[in-house]
Amino acid sequence: MQTDIEDAGTGRQPDGVLVLRTLTMPRDSNPGEDIFGGWILSQMDIGGVLLAKEVARGRVVTVTVDRMTFVRPVHVGDTVCVYANVARIGDSSMDVKLEVWAKDLLEEFEEERHIVTEGVFRYVAIDEEGQPRRIPDNPNIPRDSLKSQCL
């Protein structure tokens, strides 16, 4: 899914559906007012779970995080947006590609955002006993699809 938002430095646009948007706060930063990478990782996982639960139609758990690359810092007061795309659906697991984009809140009326990081999170659908279960078929998201959108 393409949007009208692009990184001013590269022309790159967010890939996926906007699953989370939040404001960074001082409690999530170091003394230099840079946001902790772990906080950003947690926002990615929250956004990824939102999409994964919808696709799996039930409970999911995070099992791996792969290929994380941070390319720029996020500062206190920035708006952070998480975009998600289903990259793979297996029998009981799925891979969700997540991107984090940020912008200075003071530039509220400008569309300029910058890519911060991206990674691939793997989620497993589980049943009431916490055991892996099959992800239901969905005609809108074929299992062999490399990229899918939110339902």
Side-chain angles (χ1 to χ4, degrees):
M1 174 179 183
Q2 294 295 317
T3 67
D4 294 332
I5 301 165
E6 67 179 46
D7 187 314
T10 66
R12 179 177 172 182
Q13 296 184 339
D15 184 26
V17 210
L18 178 65
V19 289
L20 184 124
R21 183 175 184 210
T22 190
L23 177 67
T24 58
M25 302 296 284
R27 70 175 177 267
D28 304 314
S29 70
N30 62 27
E33 297 189 347
D34 293 322
I35 299 300
F36 291 120
W39 182 86
I40 294 170
L41 187 68
S42 72
Q43 300 306 298
M44 294 173 79
D45 196 23
I46 290 167
V49 161
L50 290 171
L51 180 59
K53 283 184 75 165
E54 191 171 353
V55 171
R57 296 190 197 145
R59 190 171 164 202
V60 296
V61 293
T62 309
V63 293
T64 63
V65 176
D66 194 19
R67 296 184 287 268
M68 287 294 304
T69 305
F70 289 88
V71 295
R72 72 177 342 139
V74 176
H75 306 287
V76 171
D78 285 354
T79 300
V80 168
C81 297
V82 179
Y83 293 84
N85 230 330
V86 176
R88 182 197 63 83
I89 298 176
D91 187 47
S92 63
S93 68
M94 72 183 80
D95 293 342
V96 177
K97 181 181 177 281
L98 295 155
E99 295 181 355
V100 174
W101 290 68
K103 73 183 225 83
D104 186 336
L105 186 60
L106 296 177
E107 299 169 2
E108 183 177 350
F109 298 108
E110 295 185 23
E111 290 295 320
E112 186 175 302
R113 287 180 169 79
H114 301 281
I115 183 77
V116 172
T117 188
E118 58 189 322
V120 177
F121 287 52
R122 178 164 292 167
Y123 299 95
V124 171
I126 59 172
D127 62 20
E128 300 78 31
E129 286 81 41
Q131 297 301 308
R133 66 170 175 81
R134 181 166 168 70
I135 296 171
D137 290 328
N138 185 315
N140 296 325
I141 306 176
R143 288 188 187 272
D144 58 356
S145 169
L146 294 178
K147 284 168 71 171
S148 300
Q149 297 179 9
C150 189
L151 300 174

